[in-house]
Amino acid sequence: MTGLEFVLATQLMTADVPSDYSGILNRLENPIEIILSECNGQKQTAAFLSTGESTVDIASALIGSEFSDQVGPGQVGLESHWEQKIFKRLSFPRHWETEGIERPNVAAKTHCLALIKKLFAEYQLIPSNILPSIEEGIGIRYDNSAAWEDRSMLIEVYNDLDIALIVTDNIGKETIYREDVREMNFNHAVEVYQNNRG
Amino acid sequence: MATSIPEKSVFVAIGAWNPAIIQPGWLRAEFPQIIPDQKITVHFNAGPASYALVMDLGKFLLDPNGGRLVFVPKVLDEETLLQIQALSKGIYKKLAHTPVSAAGSNFVFRLDSGEDFAIEEILECAGSQKTYAEIGFKKCIRQSVQHSFSFEDYNLNITFLKAESDKTIQLNYDYPSPVDSVVKAADALRENYRHALTLCDKFIRRRS
C-alpha cells in the first residue's frame, strides 16, 4: 500500500462505513486520502481526495446516503489543502518583516499553486513543505526517500514570478542540479530528482 | 475633475452561483437589514435561449447570472459600497458551499475635457506611429496600456485607455485567492475605492 492508501485504511476503521469499502478502494487508480471530520457533533463524515473518479460518487457510495449531502465537489482535497496552506496558513517570520523582506504576493502564491498542481498531475509529486522564502516569494520542498535514494528538490517562486530550482543529494550533502525554470518545464529537473538521469 | 463611471465600477465574485437561489424573495428573507421591506424591481435580459434576471436593490443592481455575482452601483459612493460589502459577504456566507475562484472590484474614471494622463507618454509609444505608418496603418483609433502590480492579497491592474477623445482610467483590484477571496475583496472594498481616488489624483493632471 502506498502511504496515502494506508492513511485511508486506518482512518476508515474509525468511521461508520459499509464493510465493502475495499471493493470500492480497488476501483481507484490514483492515490487517495481520507479526512474524517465531525459534522454537527454527531457522526463523522468523510471527505475523499481523488485525482481520478468523482469525489462525490465515491464518498456517497462509501459512506452512505445519509452522509452524501455533507460532501461536495471541491470541498476537500489535496488541492484544497494546498490552497489553504498557501493562501491562508503561510506564516511569515516577524523578524523578516522588520528586516524589510516582502511577504509573498498573491501572484507568487497563484503561480506556486499552479506549479504544485502541475507537478502532482504530471509526476504525482506531493510537496513535503511550503514556506515563505527569505528571497521574497515562496519555497516548496519535495523529499524523495524511496529506496536508497535521499534527494530533495527545492523550488522557489519569487514575487517577480521567476522560478529557481535545486536538487540536493542529502547523503552526499551536495547540490547536484540547479536550474532557472522557464515556461514551467520541470522534465529534466524531475528526472534528476527521481534519479532517472545524472 | 475626472468623473466616475458607476455602471463600470462593479464588484464581482466569480463562482458557481445559483441564480435560482439568489432571487428577490430569498434576498429579502435572508437579509432584511440590508434589503428592508421594499419592492425589488426585476429586469429581464433576454438571451437567445433563455433570460437572465437582474435585480434592482435600490442603490445598486445585482446580477447573479453566468457564473458571476455582479454588483453594479448606481452611484459610486461609500454608502453604496458599504451595502454591497455587507450583501456580498452575507450571500457568500449563506451559500458557503459555492465554489468561488476569485473576487474583485473595478473603479473606472473618465477624464474631463481639460484633463490628460499625468504620464501621457506611456500611450505615445516612441516609434510605433512610424512603424504603423510604414506598413500602411494610418490611424490608431484605440490605445490601451495596462500595468499590473501584485500585493499580499490582491493584484492591482491599472489600465489607461484612450479612444479618440475619450480617456479613462480603470483600476481593478483582483483577489484571485481560492480561499476567502470574496470576504477579502468585500472587506477592502471601501478602502480600495479611496485608494483608487488617490491614484487618480496622481495619474490625472489638468491641462494648463
Side-chain angles (χ1 to χ4, degrees):
Chain A
M1 294 177 89
T2 66
L4 289 175
E5 289 172 36
F6 180 71
V7 168
L8 165 69
T10 54
Q11 289 191 331
L12 274 176
M13 297 297 283
T14 63
D16 183 13
V17 296
S19 58
D20 61 347
Y21 80 91
S22 59
I24 296 167
L25 176 61
N26 289 337
R27 291 203 331 248
L28 302 175
E29 295 173 356
N30 298 307
I32 67 170
E33 181 178 322
I34 180 173
I35 296 173
L36 294 178
S37 60
E38 278 200 28
C39 172
N40 298 325
Q42 303 287 323
K43 294 187 179 183
Q44 288 184 318
T45 61
F48 297 86
L49 316 179
S50 172
T51 60
E53 300 179 46
S54 163
T55 303
V56 173
D57 290 343
I58 294 167
S60 299
L62 199 59
I63 295 296
S65 59
E66 63 183 307
F67 292 115
S68 62
D69 63 348
Q70 303 300 331
V71 182
Q75 278 189 357
V76 182
L78 273 174
E79 288 189 13
S80 175
H81 167 71
W82 295 326
E83 286 167 1
Q84 292 284 328
K85 175 67 182 177
I86 293 167
F87 288 94
K88 201 164 183 172
R89 299 200 307 265
L90 205 63
S91 60
F92 193 75
R94 202 164 293 171
H95 68 277
W96 285 6
E97 203 136 32
T98 57
E99 290 167 20
I101 294 167
E102 273 188 20
R103 291 172 175 262
N105 62 31
V106 78
K109 291 176 190 175
T110 306
H111 216 50
C112 174
L113 180 63
L115 182 159
I116 291 173
K117 286 184 187 179
K118 179 183 169 76
L119 288 177
F120 181 65
E122 293 183 9
Y123 308 104
Q124 287 75 55
L125 296 180
I126 297 175
S128 50
N129 212 347
I130 305 169
L131 290 170
S133 165
I134 197 169
E135 313 240 7
E136 301 181 343
I138 301 178
I140 311 156
R141 185 184 177 98
Y142 293 86
D143 291 308
N144 183 3
S145 302
W148 62 88
E149 297 299 332
D150 192 357
R151 294 188 175 186
S152 296
M153 181 165 66
L154 301 145
I155 304 174
E156 294 209 323
V157 181
Y158 301 114
N159 278 351
D160 61 3
L161 305 187
D162 280 345
I163 302 174
L165 174 156
I166 61 170
V167 178
T168 61
D169 177 341
N170 299 326
I171 296 173
K173 293 187 181 358
E174 56 179 344
T175 298
I176 56 175
Y177 181 79
R178 63 176 76 238
E179 180 183 354
D180 289 331
V181 178
R182 301 274 177 248
E183 296 175 2
M184 293 279 259
N185 185 341
F186 296 92
N187 290 342
H188 191 177
V190 171
E191 286 185 353
V192 173
Y193 168 63
Q194 293 180 327
N195 199 27
N196 290 331
R197 185 195 292 189
Chain B
M1 172 124 189
T3 315
S4 65
I5 308 176
E7 62 270 22
K8 292 187 179 179
S9 300
V10 300
F11 179 78
V12 182
I14 299 173
W17 304 105
N18 187 346
I21 294 175
I22 305 173
Q23 299 253 330
W26 182 81
L27 288 169
R28 213 184 284 113
E30 296 293 336
F31 308 103
Q33 301 93 341
I34 304 171
I35 305 171
D37 193 17
Q38 67 189 54
K39 193 174 175 183
I40 297 177
T41 308
V42 166
H43 304 280
F44 290 91
N45 292 335
S50 63
Y51 62 85
L53 185 151
V54 176
M55 289 163 279
D56 186 333
L57 300 177
K59 289 184 177 293
F60 57 93
L61 306 176
L62 172 56
D63 180 353
N65 303 287
R68 289 150 52 101
L69 205 58
V70 182
F71 297 81
V72 185
K74 291 182 182 175
V75 173
L76 188 57
D77 58 26
E78 290 215 21
E79 189 184 338
T80 304
L81 294 177
L82 184 60
Q83 281 201 350
I84 291 174
Q85 175 187 335
L87 186 57
S88 59
K89 281 174 63 174
I91 292 174
Y92 175 69
K93 287 178 181 172
K94 291 278 180 192
L95 303 177
H97 296 305
T98 305
V100 174
S101 58
S105 47
N106 296 307
F107 302 106
V108 184
F109 302 88
R110 176 175 287 118
L111 277 65
D112 289 343
S113 55
E115 292 175 329
D116 285 321
F117 295 125
I119 36 176
E120 192 77 23
E121 55 269 19
I122 67 170
L123 288 179
E124 306 294 339
C125 303
S128 65
Q129 302 284 353
K130 182 168 175 285
T131 303
Y132 284 133
E134 283 172 0
I135 57 177
F137 294 170
K138 290 183 183 160
K139 185 162 176 61
C140 179
I141 61 171
R142 187 174 188 273
Q143 295 177 77
S144 174
V145 172
Q146 183 178 89
H147 295 147
S148 297
F149 301 90
S150 188
F151 301 93
E152 191 179 356
D153 288 323
Y154 67 96
N155 294 318
L156 173 59
N157 303 306
I158 305 170
T159 307
F160 301 89
L161 177 62
K162 180 179 174 184
E164 289 293 324
S165 58
D166 191 41
K167 294 181 183 179
T168 60
I169 289 181
Q170 177 172 320
L171 299 140
N172 165 242
Y173 295 79
D174 169 41
Y175 291 74
S177 164
V179 178
D180 296 336
S181 55
V182 175
V183 173
K184 285 180 182 172
D187 280 343
L189 184 56
R190 285 179 297 156
E191 181 187 331
N192 287 341
Y193 172 59
R194 289 180 224 124
H195 187 240
L197 292 174
T198 305
L199 290 180
C200 269
D201 267 348
K202 291 197 180 304
F203 293 141
I204 299 172
R205 60 177 172 84
R206 280 214 71 81
R207 230 175 273 137
S208 50

